[in-house]
Structure formats: C-alpha cells, structure tokens
C-alpha cells in the first residue's frame, strides 16, 4: 500500500515541477513513506531518519527531510518538536498539500505539518507515477482507510475512515495500464470486500476489470474473512484472468482469541469459508497472516493456531509477533502479558510448521504445468527469468527468447519452500 501511495506522491510532486532521483544521496528532498503497523517497522524508519539527518549535518545543510504516511499520522508533532528529526510531516490523506508544504518550509525555514484525515480523499483523479515498477505488474488503490477496529491494529487510527474510490476511475486506470503494456493489476485496500461505489460492490468491480482483456491478470489484497462473498468466489471461478489465489488473513486459530482480537468470525466460521472457497475453486491457492503471542494467549490457544495451519495447509503465510500499538483497543483494555521469549518461541513454531507445509505444497507442483506471467530477470542470474503462476507462486526458468509481459507455459521441475524452478515448454 505504501508503494502505491508513494506513486501518488511522486505524481503530485511531479505535476508541481519536482523531479525524481533514484539516488537519495543526491536528493534535495527525501521523503520517507512510513508504516506504523508494528514497532519494528517504526524503529527501521527512525534509523533511516538518523542516517539522513547525519548526512544533512555533514554534507548538505539544505537537504529537506520529510516523514509521510502512518508514522507521520501517529507521531505528528513529536517528530517535529521533541525529536527535531524532520522538516515536514504529512499524513496519508494530505499528499495533495505536499508541494505547498515544501514551499512553506523553503520560505519560512520552519517545519511544516499536515496530518488531517479525510472522509473523502481517494486520490481518484491522480495518475500514479510508477517509478519503481517492472512495467508488468501494477498496484491500483481502490479504497482507503479501515472501519474494522480489530483490537490489535493501528490502521484505523493512522489511515482514517473507510472510503471507496469511484469505480469508473479504477476501471479506466486498469485499461490505461493494459494499453501501455501492463499485464497484471493488484487492487488494493485494507478490506477490499467492503468496497462499494453505489451499486458496484467488490465482486462487481473485479468482474468489470476482468472484462478489459483476458490477458490482464487481476489480483487483490486484502480480503477480510468476515465478508468474503459467494459472488466474489464465483467471479474467481468464472473469469480465468481473476487469479486463482486468495489472501485471507486468519490471525489466529482459536475462537476466543479471535473474539478478543475483534475479528468478527470464529475459527469454525473461518474454516467453513475456506471449505466454501475450495468447493467453488478447487485448486485455489491460499495465504494468510498470523499473529503469535496476542494478549492473554495461553499455550492451548497457541496450539489451536498450529492445528489450524495443519488442517488448512496454506500455500504461504506472513507470520508476526504481536506488537502493542498505542491507542488500539488492545493497548487500552488488555495486558500485553505474553513474555517476549514465549512470543518468539511460539512464532518460531508457527514458522517452522508453515515452512514445512509450504515446501510440501510446492513439491506437489513438481510435474505440473503452469501459465506464468514473465516479470523479468531473476534476482540471482541474468540468464534466468522469473514470473508468477496464476496461484501466486514465484517460478525461475531459463530466459530463452522470452520477454517481460509474455505468458509462458512452464513445467515445474524443482522447488524450495518459497520458490519453484521450471522449464519453459515450447509449442
Ligand atoms: N487489513 C488487513 C491487514 C493489514 S495489516 C486484514 O485485516 O487482513 C497486515 C497484517 O499485519 C495483519 O493481518 C496482521 O497479521 C499484522 N498486524 C497488524 N497489527 C499488528 C500488531 N499490532 N502486531 C503484530 N502484527 C500485526
Ligand atoms: Fe487493521 Fe483489522 Fe482494518 Fe485489517 S481489518 S486494517 S487488521 S483494523
């Protein structure tokens, strides 16, 4: 989401005459777009800020440093006043104000701040400048904010109220991306299932985008389990270019913990949803998010997460230690009482188990043929290309005469828990 937001920021600044550089050490202005979801995300930003501040002191006193996004929203004046780390602080709904704020800093020599949250801002009319893109796969923001108030989560506080972007502008942006060579769009929101623009709900939006071209793949993130509709599952089944992959963050395997987390579903309801998804799309690939060591989590409750992972067999999972975030329901009402070493041990049990499941699932792919969208050279070798299957698995294969944006038939020959290796079939 921050990658996508930074593309909006680049667009706002470019249309005001600012230029982009890929070398932060030659920049006049450095803006860090930040995440506040866990404490270690914030610590990383602080270290980056220290680095740029020291550069400013030693080499470039005119360097302007800004913090954008969720940390800006959360720490507001603290960054400016107490810590004097930055010249400019701008929250996720105030990016249109950036050129003005930068000029203000130049004129006055004082720092500037805008952390107003909005009920309407969706940046619908702004054409993102995709400065870091591979030219094949693009993020398209379809909504902003979140109203769910999960007990552990800071997002509703830093990104404000949920609002959906106008459907026409989304479809148009996807068409324009296709026209300039993109072959995959990922529709982004914190809870895409609650997307609504008049009569257009999320399933309808995905369906509409899927009609643009059979060669445009559609992915989305993140889908909240409490309102993943039957219609959406049917769109997956009906439209071959709507990828056969769903990220459905469960967070925990125990219903009592899920209730404390205020997720709005029980473990059983979640399992029923997975059964429903697999019934409609039998080969659907699934991934999830897991939090280990949430407030009051007992050993038995933790075991329920391991059981759920074993039962469902996700293809992939993002796994985190619970990190208390100020202002959240959990921070106000519960004790963060699972000791750090216990949290770490539980997380490592979760990771070990999930890695073995991911490896097993990948081994089942050996001998299968997948349609892979070629993304470009692989990180490790110039003679290899990488691309993803419809089911969101990364595959490495010989480059041959392929080019980025092609679809290739690839037979899977080998794997690790994270990557598949294959041979391109020539027809
Ligand atoms: N909107 C998405 C999640 C966005 S945040 C959803 O509801 O599914 C991405 C992930 O970060 C969450 O799914 C959760 O697993 C993790 N996360 C959020 N807050 C956290 C916290 N306080 N500590 C640890 N992990 C957290
Ligand atoms: Fe956070 Fe819950 Fe909203 Fe996801 S749905 S962003 S976890 S409050």
């Amino acid at each position: 989401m921050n990658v996508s937001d930074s593309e909006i920021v680049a667009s706002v600044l470019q249309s005001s005459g600012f230029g982009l550089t890929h070398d932060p050490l030659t920049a006049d202005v450095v803006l860090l777009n930040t995440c506040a979801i866990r404490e270690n995300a914030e610590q990383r930003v602080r270290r980056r800020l220290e680095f740029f501040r020291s550069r400013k002191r030693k080499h470039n006193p005119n360097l302007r440093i800004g913090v954008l996004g969720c940390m800006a929203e959360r720490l507001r004046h603290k960054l400016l006043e107490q810590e004097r780390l930055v010249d400019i602080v701008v929250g996720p709904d105030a990016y249109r104000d950036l050129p003005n704020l930068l000029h203000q800093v130049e004129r006055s020599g004082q720092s500037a701040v805008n952390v107003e949250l909005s009920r309407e801002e969706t940046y619908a009319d702004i054409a993102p400048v995709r400065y870091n893109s591979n030219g094949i796969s693009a993020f398209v923001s379809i909504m902003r904010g979140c109203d769910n108030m999960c007990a552990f989560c800071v997002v509703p506080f830093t990104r404000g109220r949920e609002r959906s972007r106008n459907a026409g502008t989304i479809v148009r942006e996807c068409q324009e991306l296709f026209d300039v060579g993109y072959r995959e769009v990922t529709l982004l929101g914190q809870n895409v299932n609650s997307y609504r623009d008049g009569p257009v709900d999320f399933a309808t939006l995905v369906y509409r985008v899927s009609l643009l071209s059979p060669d445009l793949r559609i992915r989305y993130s993140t889908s909240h389990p409490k309102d993943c509709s039957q219609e959406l599952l049917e769109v997956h089944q009906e439209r071959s270019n709507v990828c056969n992959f769903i990220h459905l963050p469960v967070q925990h395997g125990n219903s009592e913990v899920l209730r404390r987390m205020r997720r709005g579903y029980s473990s059983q309801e979640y399992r029923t949803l997975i059964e429903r998804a697999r019934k409609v799309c039998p080969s659907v690939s699934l991934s999830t998010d897991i939090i280990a060591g949430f407030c009051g989590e007992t050993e038995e409750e933790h075991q329920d997460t391991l059981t759920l992972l074993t039962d469902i067999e996700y293809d992939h999972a993002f796994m985190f230690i619970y990190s208390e975030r100020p202002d959240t329901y959990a921070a106000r009402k519960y004790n963060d009482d699972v000791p750090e070493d216990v949290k770490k041990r539980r997380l490592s049990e979760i990771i070990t188990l999930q890695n073995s499941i991911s490896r097993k699932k990948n081994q089942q792919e050996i001998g299968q043929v997948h349609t892979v969208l070629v993304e470009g050279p692989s990180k490790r070798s110039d003679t290899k290309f990488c691309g993803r299957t419809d089911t969101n698995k990364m595959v490495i294969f010989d480059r041959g005469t392929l080019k980025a944006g092609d679809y290739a038939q690839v037979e899977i020959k080998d794997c690790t828990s994270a990557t598949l290796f294959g041979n391109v079939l020539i027809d």
Side-chain angles (χ1 to χ4, degrees), residues 85-111:
L85 280 172
V86 295
D87 304 293
I88 187 161
V89 174
V90 185
D93 286 345
Y95 296 147
R96 288 182 202 266
D97 199 22
L98 257 167
N100 168 41
L101 293 168
L102 280 165
H103 289 306
Q104 204 177 305
V105 169
E106 263 339 275
R107 261 197 323 271
S108 68
Q110 304 279 310
S111 52

Side-chain angles (χ1 to χ4, degrees), residues 243-399:
C243 286
N244 203 12
F245 164 71
I246 313 181
H247 180 59
L248 270 174
V250 66
Q251 314 296 0
H252 207 277
N254 176 277
S255 293
E256 176 51 29
V257 178
L258 288 169
R259 191 195 58 75
R260 291 206 294 279
M261 287 178 161
R262 310 181 117 197
R263 283 292 286 181
Y265 52 84
S266 66
S267 173
Q268 192 47 52
E269 281 163 343
Y270 183 88
R271 285 165 186 264
T272 306
L273 167 62
I274 298 290
E275 275 167 28
R276 199 152 52 82
R278 285 184 163 150
K279 200 160 164 204
V280 182
C281 317
S283 59
V284 70
S285 157
L286 295 168
S287 69
T288 200
D289 292 350
I290 299 283
I291 297 179
F294 186 61
C295 309
E297 185 192 62
T298 64
E299 207 52 42
E300 291 72 39
E301 288 169 344
H302 162 62
Q303 288 299 325
D304 285 346
T305 293
L306 298 176
T307 308
L308 180 118
L309 291 176
T310 308
D311 292 348
I312 292 187
E313 297 197 315
Y314 293 100
D315 293 85
H316 182 72
F318 299 93
M319 299 157 278
F320 312 104
I321 277 183
Y322 172 61
S323 161
E324 183 177 276
R325 308 313 291 136
D327 301 330
T328 56
Y329 187 86
R332 285 181 285 117
K333 303 280 184 188
Y334 307 145
N335 283 332
D336 181 12
D337 53 2
V338 178
E340 204 55 30
D341 57 330
V342 176
K343 284 184 181 173
K344 282 190 181 145
R345 194 251 306 149
R346 289 181 186 166
L347 178 69
S348 105
E349 288 173 11
I350 289 169
I351 292 176
T352 306
L353 173 63
Q354 181 54 43
N355 282 352
S356 74
I357 295 168
S358 298
R359 184 169 302 108
K360 182 177 126 190
K361 299 278 283 190
N362 279 355
Q363 275 161 353
Q364 290 167 359
E365 300 285 354
I366 294 175
Q368 309 274 341
V369 176
H370 280 282
T371 306
V372 171
L373 173 59
V374 180
E375 290 183 11
S378 91
K379 276 192 202 128
R380 300 233 174 100
S381 156
D382 273 355
T383 62
K384 302 277 185 193
F385 261 179
C386 66
R388 274 177 299 154
T389 65
D390 179 37
T391 51
N392 206 34
K393 298 196 180 207
M394 188 53 87
V395 193
I396 312 287
F397 44 91
D398 278 338
R399 181 174 192 146

